[in-house]
Amino acid sequence: MDRPFDYLVPASMEHTAEPGRLVRVPFAGTDAEGYVLERLASTDHTGRMARLRRVVSGLPVLPGATLELCRQVAAEYGGTLSDVVRLAVPGRHAGAEEKVLRAAPVRHDPVALGPDLLGWEHHRAGPAFLAHVRDGSSPRAVATFAPGSDPFALLALAARAALASGRTALLVVPDHRDLDRLGAALERVVPEGHVRLEADLGPAARYRSFLQALTGRARVVAGTRAAVFAPLPNLGLVAVLEDGDDSHAEQRAPYPHVREVAVLRAEQAGAAALFAGWTRTAETQLLLESGWARPVLATRDTVRARAPRIAVAGTSGPDAQDPLAAAARLPSDGWRVLRDAVRRGPVLVQVPRTGYVPTLACQTCREPARCTSCHGPLAVPDAGERAACRWCGRPATDWTCGHCGDSRFRAVVTGARRTAEELGRAFPGVDVRTSGGSHVLDVVPGGPSLVIATPGAEPVAPGGYAAAMLLDGWALLARPDLRAAEEAYRRWTAAAALVQPASAGGAVVLVADPQAAPAQALVRWDPAGFAERELAQRRELDLPPAARFAGLIGPAADVEEFVAALPALPGVRVLGPLPVPDRPGQAPAVRSVVRVPRERSAELATAVKTVTAGRSVRKLPLVRVRVDPLQIG
């Protein structure tokens, strides 16, 4: 079904059924919606042709550039064109469309870049990047921001540079909190001509923003994941903030990643590209080493002047040689930093897990505690509550360990709420705030307080935090994930960047293995060196992005058939199958991973798409296919 179909255009629709319009057509005994891809004078179809029923949209909502981008994304990820178009074009809302069509044309005033660089001057090659964008060139950069920088102001100024060249700009951030902050920055730097595009807007507002971009009424689009497809004419800049954030990976087939779509779009439109954040991913490091992009990096003088003092707990002070002190969850040198800093202002405490006690184990043998009903993990939801299953919710009143028979629990990980309770007792009279899960704070007051936050939910403190404590670093490093070290470093750096510089007394204490590469990189504030090391290790082990992977999930027999049907690509290797952890209401499944050298990426995508299509035609059970899965294991 992943192909175009030919229809006759009635004379009454001669001037409205233009390419890109949404239409209704008869298909398989019913009416269906589709897009006009092109108009031809003749057809190769030899049978009887049906006619278009109706032209639905008043505008060509799938312009040629967007259609071509969707085709490239489908080919890159082994997906179907219709699935990608569904991601790129939001559902039509007639009322919103009518308002845009009736609105008067907008005339935008010329924009100048101005002398204020808002912090770009502290980054080597930063001013040059802006100057090239302003002059109409299309530079490509990977920027790692200096501590204390305002990343949203920096992105807004890059967008203004694109407007100064007479072009448009597209800015993509991980989530709605980042989008709020970017919107505030755009209000200051680009006071008009920008729109917000995200799924949370609702059908009408999202479609209206989409059409404003399509018709040129908006010159800057700021949005989350799906905004990377926004149909901006004369695109001059594509910018992505924190491309390592999981939110940038689409959760619907064919699961494209914002970073890869942005690369394709910049090449297609001849636009400038900017991948920015506190750190670099291995993927953006590969872009640098291939010559596709150039680095924009904070100067060492700026880092020394603006970074907080960073120490790994248990490696300094009077307890440096005490292994028990170093192994404590809150080592004594960390306590001293907390005690001194909380007198001067807010102190951030980062805890990897939300909840109270999110993970339990057997008191005797340390085996993970599992539900006797569904085999889900047991946890204590809140203070004073009984242990219960996180999957089915059943209380663990009759639980006994299947390995040793003990019925007692121990906490494996202490959550944010439990940490807040402990610190509240240790610092009586100090305000304790939590941020994470469904309750995320955007800003905290500047007075003395303790702010307990999960990674990614850290609120902003006016003037910066007096100090930060990064707890349970082992929990982030021990994740069974290819990107565990990279993610831990990104989370720690994002928190440390919110702290006052060392000259103002700012300090960060990391509770983690001091020999771990992310911990050493944090102490040195060396995102470039860490990314180079990470990519070198991936190359040595033939792991992404040095190689291309395709994950296959389904019943064991179907996955085996799928793998057997794949062509013998040079350098191909199949890993697995391994059982996928059981989930309530789901049939048992296995996971296999197909690996090929990076230069065979296109062949792998074509192969998995061909096998999937063949199984669909034969009405065989579908195997879930994900090219470049976030998790390999």
Side-chain angles (χ1 to χ4, degrees):
M1 299 294 289
D2 187 31
R3 63 181 181 85
F5 293 85
D6 292 351
Y7 287 86
L8 290 174
V9 179
S12 61
M13 304 178 194
E14 172 69 22
H15 301 294
T16 56
E18 59 183 335
R21 295 283 189 105
L22 182 66
V23 295
R24 292 196 70 84
V25 297
F27 189 84
T30 186
D31 277 7
E33 288 190 343
Y35 296 94
V36 178
L37 301 184
E38 59 180 335
R39 291 279 297 274
L40 301 173
S42 61
T43 177
D44 296 333
H45 183 69
T46 56
R48 178 177 174 273
M49 291 180 60
R51 296 171 178 267
L52 299 183
R53 295 268 200 240
R54 182 166 64 92
V55 176
V56 177
S57 60
L59 290 166
V61 293
L62 184 62
T66 303
L67 174 62
E68 180 58 30
L69 177 65
C70 291
R71 284 176 170 151
Q72 292 179 8
V73 172
E76 181 80 4
Y77 285 90
T80 63
L81 177 61
S82 58
D83 281 341
V84 182
V85 169
R86 193 176 298 116
L87 300 176
V89 182
R92 179 176 179 266
H93 192 281
E97 183 174 278
E98 185 177 357
K99 288 181 180 179
V100 172
L101 288 172
R102 288 183 176 181
V106 176
R107 180 176 179 178
H108 298 293
D109 295 329
V111 173
L113 180 57
D116 188 358
L117 296 182
L118 300 178
W120 279 104
E121 70 275 14
H122 299 304
H123 298 80
R124 189 180 298 111
F129 174 80
L130 291 186
H132 281 298
V133 175
R134 178 202 59 203
D135 295 340
S137 300
S138 300
R140 301 162 180 168
V142 176
T144 46
F145 292 144
S149 299
D150 182 347
F152 307 102
L154 295 173
L155 286 187
L157 191 62
R160 188 177 179 90
L163 298 188
S165 72
R167 299 178 292 174
T168 57
L170 172 62
L171 313 176
V172 185
V173 296
D175 56 43
H176 70 92
R177 292 176 65 239
D178 295 321
L179 198 52
D180 290 341
R181 296 172 184 172
L182 179 58
L186 287 170
E187 288 291 340
R188 297 189 299 269
V189 180
V190 186
E192 61 178 20
H194 61 86
V195 295
R196 178 174 179 141
L197 184 57
E198 61 169 336
D200 292 343
L201 287 176
R206 183 184 178 195
Y207 193 62
R208 182 167 58 250
S209 295
F210 175 85
L211 293 183
Q212 287 174 319
L214 175 69
T215 58
R217 289 173 169 83
R219 293 182 292 175
V220 178
V221 170
T224 52
R225 202 161 56 211
V228 73
F229 291 98
L232 279 165
N234 193 22
L235 185 63
L237 172 69
V238 182
V240 179
L241 181 66
E242 296 291 356
D243 68 288
D245 194 297
D246 290 351
S247 300
H248 284 309
E250 178 59 56
Q251 298 305 305
R252 293 176 292 173
Y255 315 106
H257 195 285
V258 164
R259 176 184 53 248
E260 308 307 324
V261 180
V263 167
L264 292 173
R265 186 146 195 205
E267 291 179 340
Q268 179 201 56
L274 174 63
F275 297 97
W278 302 115
T279 60
R280 292 179 192 168
T281 59
E283 285 78 8
T284 52
Q285 181 63 31
L286 182 63
L287 293 178
L288 291 173
E289 294 189 6
S290 68
W292 191 91
R294 300 290 295 274
V296 173
L297 190 66
T299 64
R300 291 311 301 175
D301 288 342
T302 299
V303 171
R304 281 191 290 267
R306 301 173 66 171
R309 178 176 60 86
I310 299 174
V312 180
T315 61
S316 61
D319 298 325
Q321 305 303 319
D322 185 351
L324 295 179
R329 185 169 188 249
L330 290 171
S332 57
D333 48 357
W335 274 111
R336 285 190 292 271
V337 170
L338 237 66
R339 183 191 60 211
D340 296 340
V342 79
R343 300 169 183 167
R344 297 185 285 109
V347 173
L348 175 66
V349 180
Q350 187 190 76
V351 182
R353 305 286 179 87
T354 188
Y356 194 73
V357 181
T359 307
L360 292 171
C362 172
Q363 174 69 35
T364 301
C365 68
R366 305 301 196 260
E367 283 292 322
R370 293 284 180 176
C371 176
T372 56
S373 176
C374 71
H375 204 60
L378 298 184
V380 177
D382 212 334
E385 296 187 11
R386 290 180 175 273
C389 179
R390 282 165 42 195
W391 289 358
C392 69
R394 177 179 173 179
T397 53
D398 56 349
W399 180 86
T400 56
C401 178
H403 292 265
C404 68
D406 198 345
S407 59
R408 296 172 299 166
F409 298 114
R410 71 183 297 269
V412 176
V413 175
T414 301
R417 288 203 300 272
R418 174 65 180 271
T419 302
E421 182 181 288
E422 294 173 349
L423 291 177
R425 289 196 298 263
F427 293 90
V430 177
D431 289 339
V432 179
R433 297 178 173 88
T434 59
S435 179
S438 59
H439 178 67
V440 177
L441 303 176
D442 291 325
V443 181
V444 294
S449 64
L450 289 170
V451 181
I452 318 302
T454 53
E458 300 91 350
V460 175
Y465 287 96
M469 174 84 77
L470 312 179
L471 292 179
D472 301 336
W474 63 268
L476 288 176
L477 293 173
R479 291 171 54 204
D481 187 345
L482 168 67
R483 295 171 175 83
E486 184 179 89
E487 179 69 1
Y489 181 52
R490 187 176 72 83
R491 294 298 194 183
W492 295 341
T493 306
L498 301 176
V499 179
Q500 297 170 0
S503 59
V508 175
V509 178
L510 171 65
V511 183
D513 178 6
Q515 301 303 317
Q520 296 178 11
L522 181 66
V523 171
R524 297 192 307 270
W525 202 281
D526 183 21
F530 178 79
E532 292 168 1
R533 181 182 185 276
E534 188 75 8
L535 180 58
Q537 289 182 337
R538 305 258 192 103
R539 276 204 179 101
E540 185 177 349
L541 300 172
D542 283 334
L543 293 173
R548 196 82 187 275
F549 281 52
L552 314 174
I553 296 180
D558 296 318
V559 171
E560 184 178 351
E561 290 178 5
F562 193 106
V563 171
L566 289 172
L569 301 176
V572 68
R573 183 180 178 187
V574 179
L575 311 176
L578 292 174
V580 175
D582 295 339
R583 302 291 288 186
Q586 296 183 2
V590 299
R591 178 191 186 101
S592 286
V593 177
V594 181
R595 183 179 71 187
V596 297
R598 188 164 187 84
E599 59 270 19
R600 301 289 179 182
S601 296
E603 296 172 60
L604 175 64
T606 300
V608 296
K609 181 177 180 179
T610 301
V611 175
T612 299
R615 293 182 63 84
S616 178
V617 168
R618 299 196 304 275
K619 301 189 183 307
L620 297 174
L622 292 182
V623 173
R624 181 184 173 190
V625 179
R626 185 163 187 168
V627 177
D628 285 345
L630 285 181
Q631 296 183 343
I632 304 300

